[in-house]
Amino acid sequence: MAVAGSRIDPAEAERVVAEARRVLTGNRQSGTSDWDGMRYDFVCPSPTHYPFQWFWDSAFHAIALLHVDPELSKQELRCLMQGAQPDGFVGHMLLWEREAHAHWLQHEYSIRLGHPYFTATIQPPVVARAVERIFEATGDKAFVRDMLPPMARFFDWLARVRDPDDDGLIALIQPDESGLDASPKYDKAMGIPHEPPTDTLPALRRSMQRLFTAYKDAAPEAQPLLDVFLFEDVMMNSIYADGLRALAKLSRAVGAPDAERFARASKRTLGALMRKCWDEEAGLFWDLSGTAEEQAKVLTFTSLFPLILPDLDARVAKRLVRDHLLNEREFWLPYPVPSVAASEVTFDPSWQTKTTWRGPTWVNVNWYLYWGLRAHGFDDVASELARRTVAMQSRGGIREFYDPFTAEGYGATDFGWSCLSLDLIAAEQSG
Ligand code: GLC
């Protein structure tokens, strides 16, 4: 379909910028933790729903904060990387004030702890892209030199512990490790129904407990081998490949070792995505489920995600954009990009299931795809996506996710990474 490519409405932009700045200020948490007396100072995803520090959220917050004060971006990631362990692991939640928010840990989240103050779970390594953006904005080499060692150790941990078949694709061992907790692409592996919608979340919680029981006495290296839930996820691996690309660039910029090793690893992961996940007939990428690597053919936005990689073949990028992103029966809805294609039976745009990633639109997804579209020369599509994202937030507020037809906001209020629209607005205004 044709794309209008019109500009962001200035009044809408003004409203969204003011709201985003308010949220980034209001969500700040700082103090001294009982965890070894460490100081923390970061933006939480939502004071009313998510009062801890989350791994990929903080990387997105750091990017949004570039438009408030780059020093706060650095502080966000310095705080995050205090959670880095000697073996390279970084938990997906750091529980700086665990006692004050104990209710959430006991009753609301399905999580597995690796330590009193962090989980045993990973999230997508967006941090490398965030450090790259901070470096581009500030030229601060000392910051990059501080961040590179814990980032390199984390990426090495992923390769060592989460790529048991050594194919260049890292594996998730529970759905929330991609950050896409209840995505219907995991329903089959998790044994979760989509009807009636009220059954979805309780079934997910039960299935999560099943995984936790299986992992209980197994070492991290042994857990993927149990094959109770194993996903080589396209979004996770696109972010992993992109992170390795960023690590190579940052290492070169400050004369740190391993730049070539990271560049090679990034190419290898993209090669594996093409070889194992790309479906030439459908023009899409599919996740691989289990050690048998069965393609999980549920159409969600992640099937388009390799678009974020500048090295993706131009012909493949064109098919993703022309055949699917701009397809009004799948992803090009009034407020794109829905987390699940409208053509899927599980598509739940108005949040009937009361759980995440089953239809509504998320701003971090639009942010990644925006830059991917620009990297591949689809500037008009990128501009239209930014315009509709800002229009959506101008109507729905700074919420966790949005109805792709009406822009109504759902889930958490004052949601941190929804402030990434600051980056889209700045990019569009500077042309
Ligand atoms: C939800 C999202 C997850 C995010 C977390 C904190 O669980 O699914 O991706 O990290 O909230 O915002």
Side-chain angles (χ1 to χ4, degrees):
M1 69 149 273
V3 173
S6 51
R7 309 296 292 175
I8 293 175
D9 179 278
E12 289 181 349
E14 203 179 312
R15 200 156 45 238
V16 170
V17 167
E19 275 294 280
R21 286 171 165 269
R22 179 186 64 71
V23 167
L24 289 172
T25 305
N27 291 18
R28 179 160 299 284
Q29 307 234 345
S30 57
T32 305
S33 172
D34 288 342
W35 180 11
D36 296 344
M38 282 192 274
R39 302 237 346 118
Y40 59 89
D41 193 342
F42 68 97
V43 172
C44 76
S46 166
T48 53
H49 290 66
Y50 305 113
F52 302 103
Q53 185 167 26
W54 265 263
F55 189 69
W56 74 329
D57 296 70
S58 260
F60 293 129
H61 297 164
I63 293 166
L65 285 166
L66 283 173
H67 303 283
V68 177
D69 178 355
E71 289 307 315
L72 294 177
S73 307
K74 295 179 201 167
Q75 179 176 289
E76 182 85 16
L77 299 185
R78 285 191 197 278
C79 182
L80 182 71
M81 290 320 240
Q82 289 185 102
Q85 299 306 300
D87 67 351
F89 178 77
V90 191
H92 93 300
M93 288 168 68
L94 305 181
L95 312 175
W96 296 114
E97 284 302 328
R98 57 168 295 151
E99 298 313 328
H101 309 296
H103 161 82
W104 288 99
L105 301 176
Q106 277 154 19
H107 304 292
E108 301 292 337
Y109 308 144
S110 295
I111 54 169
R112 189 162 63 95
L113 293 182
H115 176 277
Y117 290 92
F118 57 79
T119 57
T121 307
I122 55 167
Q123 262 189 342
V126 181
V127 61
R129 177 74 170 264
V131 172
E132 180 187 25
R133 286 295 307 269
I134 293 172
F135 181 60
E136 282 166 5
T138 64
D140 187 342
K141 290 191 176 177
F143 174 71
V144 173
R145 281 194 200 98
D146 286 350
M147 285 292 120
L148 270 176
M151 288 200 295
R153 280 198 298 272
F154 183 58
F155 277 79
D156 288 348
W157 185 95
L158 290 172
R160 191 173 69 245
V161 178
R162 290 308 185 83
D163 187 8
D165 60 358
D166 192 26
D167 62 354
L169 298 174
I170 55 168
L172 315 176
I173 59 167
Q174 58 190 63
D176 56 339
E177 290 201 318
S178 64
L180 311 177
D181 316 18
S183 173
K185 66 188 188 169
Y186 306 132
D187 281 3
K188 187 174 168 211
M190 292 291 280
I192 290 174
H194 66 276
E195 265 172 359
T198 45
D199 282 2
T200 302
L201 184 55
L204 173 62
R205 293 211 162 119
R206 282 196 299 276
S207 202
M208 291 291 280
Q209 288 308 321
R210 176 180 61 86
L211 300 184
F212 296 167
T213 305
Y215 297 144
K216 201 164 160 285
D217 298 316
E221 287 79 0
Q223 290 165 5
L225 306 176
L226 296 173
D227 200 10
V228 286
F229 178 91
L230 195 75
F231 251 74
E232 290 170 308
D233 183 290
V234 170
M235 185 196 77
M236 186 75 165
N237 280 287
S238 301
I239 293 176
Y240 176 63
D242 182 61
L244 289 163
R245 177 203 57 71
L247 287 185
K249 189 169 149 196
L250 290 165
S251 300
R252 261 182 226 121
V254 301
D258 291 334
E260 296 321 312
R261 180 168 76 84
F262 291 134
R264 271 198 308 278
S266 176
K267 285 202 168 46
R268 182 162 179 252
T269 298
L270 174 54
L273 282 166
M274 283 307 303
R275 204 172 60 255
K276 294 188 159 187
C277 304
W278 172 245
D279 177 340
E280 177 65 32
E281 202 178 304
L284 292 164
F285 291 85
W286 303 115
D287 295 348
L288 308 176
S289 178
T291 45
E293 300 193 323
E294 185 193 343
Q295 289 191 344
K297 296 194 173 178
V298 176
L299 186 54
T300 74
F301 75 95
T302 68
S303 284
L304 314 179
F305 225 69
L307 191 63
I308 74 165
L309 299 171
D311 288 344
L312 183 72
D313 184 82
R315 186 187 65 85
V316 170
K318 197 167 168 186
R319 286 199 65 192
L320 294 175
V321 175
R322 297 283 166 217
D323 297 355
H324 298 288
L325 180 64
L326 294 177
N327 183 333
E328 291 177 345
R329 289 184 313 276
E330 294 177 354
F331 294 105
W332 205 243
L333 302 186
Y335 299 101
V337 176
S339 41
V340 175
S343 52
E344 284 290 334
V345 286
T346 48
F347 177 59
D348 173 24
S350 54
W351 199 39
Q352 301 301 306
T353 47
K354 293 287 178 281
T355 186
T356 49
W357 301 102
R358 300 184 73 92
T361 296
W362 294 68
V363 176
N364 64 331
V365 172
N366 289 9
W367 178 84
Y368 256 124
L369 292 178
Y370 172 87
W371 287 108
L373 286 163
R374 285 189 53 159
H376 288 283
F378 295 100
D379 291 23
D380 54 345
V381 185
S383 293
E384 181 61 12
L385 180 58
R387 188 186 74 75
R388 294 197 199 187
T389 305
V390 173
M392 174 178 83
Q393 292 191 297
S394 157
R395 289 173 182 70
I398 307 291
R399 297 294 297 269
E400 191 174 3
F401 41 85
Y402 303 83
D403 188 310
F405 295 108
T406 65
E408 184 178 346
Y410 299 128
T413 49
D414 289 354
F415 190 68
W417 81 41
S418 290
C419 302
L420 281 169
S421 44
L422 290 177
D423 197 54
L424 302 183
I425 293 168
E428 284 295 292
Q429 284 172 349
S430 64

